[in-house]
C-alpha cells in the first residue's frame, strides 16, 4: 500500500475558490455584442457624415441583422444565468461602478434603437411595403425625421457596448489575465473589425468593399498593436500575470491563440485584403469569414484562459 501525505488542505478539491463556471454562452455573447456594436458604429458614423448613398450596406443593409444578433446574444446570456427568473432586477437600479449595470442598461438602449433604425429602412429591403399598423408608420417617419440625433445616440451607445464586452472581464481583478485596462479597447477594436468584415461581405458595391477593406486593415494593425502591448504589460508585471502570459507563450493556449487568432484571424485576412486592393481576385467572403472566426476564437480563449489564471499559489 502506498502512503500519501497531504501537506496542505488546498490539495483537496474545491478548497481554493474557483471561477471556472463560464461555458460557451459568455464568449458567444461577447462576440455577438462586439459584432453588433461594430455594425451600428459604422452605420451611425456614416449617417452623421452624410455618406448614406455612397455606403448603403454600412448605413442600411447590414443593420437589418443587428436585432437578430443582439437577441441571440441576450438569449445566450440568459441561458448562463443561475436564477433566470430574476434577470429583471438588473433594471431596478443603476450602479455606475458596476460593469454589469452598464451592460444591462446599454443593451436596453441599443436593442430597441437597432430595431427602429432597421424599421425605418425596411422599404429598402422590401420595396412598396406598407405597414398595416399605424404606429409603425409613425415610428418610421419620426426616425427618418430625426435620423442624425439617433445616429449620435447610436454611435455613443455602440462604443460603450463594444468597450463593455472587454471591461466585463477586466472588472474581475482576481483573475490576472483579465486584470488589465487594455481589454476594453482591444475588444472594441476587435468588434469594429468584425463589423467591418460583415459589411464588406454583404456589400455588392466595389467602392464600398474597397473602403471597408482599408478600414479593416487599419483595425487589424491596431488590434495587433494592442495584443503586443497586452503581453508586454503582463511580462513586466507581477509573478501571477507573468504566469498568466505563459499560458500563451508555450502553454496550452499557444497554438490556438497565435495560430487561430493572430495568424488565421488577423494576418491571413490582412494579406488577402492587401492582395485584393492591389487588383488580385480574392473572394471577399474568405477574409471576412476568417476575421469573424478569429474574433470568436479570441473571445472563447480569453474567457477560458482567464478562468485558469489565478493569484493563488
Amino acid at each position: 500500500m502506498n502512503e500519501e501525505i497531504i501537506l496542505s488542505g488546498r490539495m483537496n478539491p474545491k478548497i481554493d475558490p474557483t471561477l471556472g463556471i463560464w461555458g460557451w454562452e459568455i464568449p458567444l455573447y461577447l462576440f455577438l455584442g462586439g459584432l453588433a456594436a461594430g455594425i451600428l458604429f459604422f452605420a451611425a458614423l456614416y449617417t452623421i457624415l452624410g455618406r448614406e448613398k455612397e455606403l448603403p450596406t454600412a448605413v442600411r443593409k447590414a443593420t437589418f441583422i443587428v436585432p437578430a444578433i443582439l437577441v441571440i446574444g441576450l438569449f445566450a446570456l440568459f441561458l448562463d444565468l443561475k436564477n433566470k427568473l430574476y434577470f429583471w432586477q438588473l433594471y431596478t437600479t443603476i450602479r455606475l461602478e458596476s460593469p454589469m449595470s452598464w451592460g444591462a442598461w446599454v443593451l436596453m438602449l441599443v436593442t430597441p434603437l437597432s430595431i427602429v433604425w432597421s424599421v425605418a429602412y425596411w422599404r429598402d429591403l422590401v420595396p412598396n411595403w406598407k405597414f398595416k399598423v399605424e404606429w409603425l408608420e409613425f415610428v418610421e417617419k419620426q426616425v427618418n425625421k430625426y435620423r442624425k440625433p439617433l445616429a449620435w445616440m447610436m454611435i455613443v451607445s455602440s462604443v460603450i457596448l463594444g468597450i463593455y464586452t472587454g471591461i466585463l472581464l477586466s472588472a474581475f481583478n482576481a483573475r490576472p489575465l483579465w486584470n488589465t485596462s487594455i481589454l476594453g479597447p482591444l475588444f472594441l477594436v476587435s468588434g469594429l473589425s468584425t463589423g467591418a468584415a460583415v459589411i464588406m461581405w454583404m456589400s455588392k458595391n466595389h467602392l464600398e468593399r474597397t473602403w471597408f477593406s482599408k478600414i479593416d486593415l487599419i483595425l487589424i494593425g491596431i488590434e495587433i498593436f494592442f495584443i503586443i502591448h497586452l503581453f508586454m504589460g503582463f511580462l513586466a508585471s507581477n509573478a501571477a500575470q507573468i504566469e498568466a502570459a505563459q499560458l500563451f507563450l508555450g502553454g496550452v493556449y499557444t497554438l490556438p491563440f497565435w495560430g487561430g487568432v493572430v495568424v488565421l484571424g488577423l494576418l491571413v485576412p490582412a494579406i488577402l485584403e492587401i492582395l485584393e486592393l492591389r487588383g488580385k481576385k480574392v473572394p471577399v467572403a474568405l477574409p471576412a469569414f476568417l476575421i469573424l472566426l478569429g474574433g470568436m476564437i479570441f473571445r472563447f480563449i480569453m474567457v477560458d484562459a482567464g478562468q485558469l489564471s489565478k493569484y493563488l499559489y
Side-chain angles (χ1 to χ4, degrees), residues 86-147:
Y86 297 99
F87 76 93
W88 57 270
Q89 292 185 354
L90 283 167
Y91 299 102
T92 60
T93 184
I94 298 177
R95 296 182 60 187
L96 297 180
E97 74 280 7
S98 169
M100 289 287 187
S101 185
W102 274 92
W105 284 101
V106 78
L107 283 167
M108 175 66 81
L109 173 64
V110 168
T111 304
L113 193 57
S114 69
I115 293 172
V116 297
W117 188 276
S118 300
V119 166
Y121 284 124
W122 189 253
R123 295 182 199 273
D124 288 2
L125 190 66
V126 185
N128 302 319
W129 175 270
K130 289 187 178 181
F131 292 107
K132 296 181 180 179
V133 183
E134 289 186 6
W135 67 268
L136 287 176
E137 294 275 1
F138 175 78
V139 168
E140 182 188 25
K141 291 178 182 177
Q142 293 302 308
V143 172
N144 286 323
K145 183 178 180 181
Y146 299 104
R147 177 74 67 180

Side-chain angles (χ1 to χ4, degrees), residues 63-85:
T63 59
F64 289 125
I65 68 173
V66 173
I69 290 172
L70 288 172
V71 168
I72 294 170
L74 288 170
F75 182 67
L77 185 62
F78 178 76
L79 292 177
D80 180 72
L81 295 176
K82 178 66 175 177
N83 298 305
K84 296 178 174 58
L85 296 179

Side-chain angles (χ1 to χ4, degrees), residues 47-62:
T47 297
I48 293 168
L49 296 177
R51 300 185 63 181
E52 299 96 323
K53 292 182 179 179
E54 297 175 63
L55 306 169
T57 305
V59 174
R60 299 193 294 271
K61 296 178 183 178

